[in-house]
């Protein structure tokens, strides 16, 4: 150190164990302030520059971008925000890598005849995958006059979140689900069930409020492995439809409803794929709906006999 207590750029680099080029790089970006300039115009650094340079190196070792390093140096409280941001970014990168690994295993393990179709399916999905297309599908599927709170609740329940550490089968199921919802309806028809295309007196909020309770009751029956049957779950289900139409729950109404609620192959496929993606043992709303429709069909057939 010189008599004035400063170091040259070479001396600072030597003490810090870095190259002169590294010191110059951080100096030029304002991260390492100079104490003064020599009579010959050379940079001079005070002893505090060594601690600052070591801190910069530590932050860069964590792969923090230079602008974020600058924020930390200028504002002591910025480190927490910068670290949180980096953790979020790393989480996204790791999720993408796990998804890609499972997708590659899917291609590696399939037969040559399956490879082209699977490559087409997974190639249409980002890594990590987005659920935006699934949410759009449900916004088109749900009744136009459904209150926002109910629509949001249905979409949250209906759209499966991609697993953080997927297996190849889950990748394939999600890719098929994405292809299903982005493929449009057959023949260009409206993407809504017949029950939603009804008269002006139809109250979708009454229907979906009641369906939530009916699906919960039917889900308990499914978990108990009970076959479709009459009871509280079916009564709640029919009551939701009757109330939404402003009519009474009668045997005639139940027979009419049984004919109207024919299973939709497209939506049934959606729920089957959703169950595969989630890997959960909990029944999906689709499984509960099918159980209730089957119970209604059994009752309608019995009353017509």
């Amino acid at each position: 150190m010189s008599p004035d207590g400063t170091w040259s750029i070479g001396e600072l680099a030597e003490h810090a164990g870095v190259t002169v080029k590294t010191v110059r790089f951080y100096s030029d970006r304002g991260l390492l302030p100079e104490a003064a300039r020599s009579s010959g115009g050379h940079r001079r650094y005070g002893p505090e520059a060594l601690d600052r340079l070591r801190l910069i190196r530590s932050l860069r070792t964590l792969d923090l971008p230079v602008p974020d390093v600058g924020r930390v140096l200028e504002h002591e409280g910025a480190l927490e925000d910068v670290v949180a941001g980096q953790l979020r970014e790393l989480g996204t990168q790791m999720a993408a890598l796990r998804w890609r690994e499972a997708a590659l295993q899917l291609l590696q393990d399939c037969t040559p005849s399956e490879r082209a179709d699977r490559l087409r399916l997974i190639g249409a999905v980002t890594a990590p995958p987005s659920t935006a297309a699934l949410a759009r599908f449900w916004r088109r599927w749900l009744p136009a006059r459904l209150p926002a709170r109910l629509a949001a609740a249905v979409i949250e329940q209906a759209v499966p979140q991609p697993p953080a550490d997927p297996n190849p089968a889950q990748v394939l199921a999600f890719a098929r689900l994405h292809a299903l919802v982005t493929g449009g309806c057959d023949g260009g028809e409206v993407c809504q069930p017949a029950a939603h295309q009804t008269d002006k007196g139809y109250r979708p909020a009454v229907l979906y409020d009641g369906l939530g309770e009916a699906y919960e009751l039917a889900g308990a029956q499914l978990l108990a492995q009970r076959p479709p049957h009459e009871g509280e779950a079916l009564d709640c289900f029919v009551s939701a439809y009757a109330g939404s139409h402003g009519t009474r729950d009668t045997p005639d109404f139940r027979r009419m409803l049984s004919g109207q609620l024919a299973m939709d192959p497209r939506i049934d496929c959606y729920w089957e794929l959703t169950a595969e993606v989630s890997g959960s043992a909990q029944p999906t709303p689709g499984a509960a709906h099918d159980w209730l429709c089957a119970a209604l069909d059994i009752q309608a057939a019995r009353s017509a006999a």
Side-chain angles (χ1 to χ4, degrees), residues 29-100:
R29 279 152 184 77
L31 301 182
L32 197 61
E34 305 164 16
R37 287 267 179 165
S38 68
S39 56
H42 299 295
R43 307 172 199 245
R44 306 294 300 182
Y45 298 90
E48 70 282 355
L50 181 58
D51 289 336
R52 191 176 180 92
L53 183 55
R54 286 171 174 164
L55 175 58
I56 292 170
R57 289 187 65 199
S58 296
L59 295 171
R60 290 291 288 155
T61 299
L62 296 173
D63 211 24
L64 294 185
V66 171
D68 285 344
V69 172
R71 286 177 55 202
V72 173
L73 294 174
E74 291 177 12
H75 306 287
E76 186 175 340
L79 180 59
E80 186 174 345
D81 288 342
V82 167
V83 169
Q86 284 295 297
L87 285 173
R88 286 193 297 271
E89 184 176 336
L90 282 174
T92 300
Q93 292 173 359
M94 291 173 68
L97 287 173
R98 286 191 290 264
W99 191 268
R100 286 172 54 195

Side-chain angles (χ1 to χ4, degrees), residues 2-304:
S2 65
D4 64 355
T6 62
W7 280 319
S8 69
I9 190 171
E11 290 169 334
L12 177 60
E14 183 179 355
H15 281 83
V18 300
T19 65
V20 169
K21 183 178 179 180
T22 297
V23 177
R24 185 176 291 112
F25 174 84
Y26 293 131
S27 294
D28 290 345
R29 279 152 184 77
L31 301 182
L32 197 61
E34 305 164 16
R37 287 267 179 165
S38 68
S39 56
H42 299 295
R43 307 172 199 245
R44 306 294 300 182
Y45 298 90
E48 70 282 355
L50 181 58
D51 289 336
R52 191 176 180 92
L53 183 55
R54 286 171 174 164
L55 175 58
I56 292 170
R57 289 187 65 199
S58 296
L59 295 171
R60 290 291 288 155
T61 299
L62 296 173
D63 211 24
L64 294 185
V66 171
D68 285 344
V69 172
R71 286 177 55 202
V72 173
L73 294 174
E74 291 177 12
H75 306 287
E76 186 175 340
L79 180 59
E80 186 174 345
D81 288 342
V82 167
V83 169
Q86 284 295 297
L87 285 173
R88 286 193 297 271
E89 184 176 336
L90 282 174
T92 300
Q93 292 173 359
M94 291 173 68
L97 287 173
R98 286 191 290 264
W99 191 268
R100 286 172 54 195
E101 181 183 28
L104 289 169
Q105 289 175 349
L106 180 67
L107 292 174
Q108 184 180 54
D109 297 341
C110 70
T111 64
S113 61
E114 295 173 316
R115 194 157 293 146
D117 183 59
R118 291 190 176 185
L119 187 57
R120 176 185 58 79
L121 286 169
I122 63 176
V125 179
T126 60
S130 168
T131 58
L134 280 63
R136 284 195 298 271
F137 169 84
W138 280 100
R139 281 192 287 270
R140 293 194 303 268
W141 178 270
L142 293 171
R145 292 184 288 118
L146 191 66
R149 66 171 180 85
L150 277 175
V154 171
I155 291 171
E156 182 179 0
Q157 189 176 29
V159 174
Q161 293 304 308
D165 190 9
N167 58 46
Q170 288 173 310
V171 168
L172 182 58
F174 189 92
R176 286 176 171 162
L177 195 56
H178 183 272
L180 177 71
V181 301
T182 56
C185 296
D186 293 337
E189 62 191 52
V190 178
C191 295
Q192 282 194 330
H196 293 170
Q197 302 166 32
T198 184
D199 56 75
K200 293 182 180 179
Y202 175 52
R203 295 181 293 171
V206 174
L207 174 63
Y208 276 86
D209 267 331
L211 286 181
E213 182 180 353
Y215 290 163
E216 186 174 345
L217 292 169
Q221 300 298 312
L222 281 164
L223 286 173
Q225 298 183 336
R226 297 191 180 101
H229 61 269
E230 300 177 29
E232 183 183 9
L234 180 59
D235 290 344
C236 183
F237 181 66
V238 175
S239 177
Y241 277 99
S244 70
H245 288 273
T247 190
R248 293 185 304 110
D249 176 3
T250 65
D252 285 342
F253 178 80
R254 292 199 176 206
R255 283 191 292 272
M256 181 277 295
L257 187 63
S258 175
Q260 187 182 48
L261 295 182
M263 292 184 182
D264 186 312
R266 189 167 189 245
I267 206 69
D268 284 347
C269 181
Y270 179 97
W271 287 117
E272 289 170 5
L273 291 169
T274 294
E276 289 184 52
V277 170
S278 67
S280 172
Q282 290 296 318
T284 66
H289 184 86
D290 287 349
W291 188 94
L292 289 162
C293 284
L296 182 61
D297 290 345
I298 291 169
Q299 185 186 58
R302 185 181 297 123
S303 67

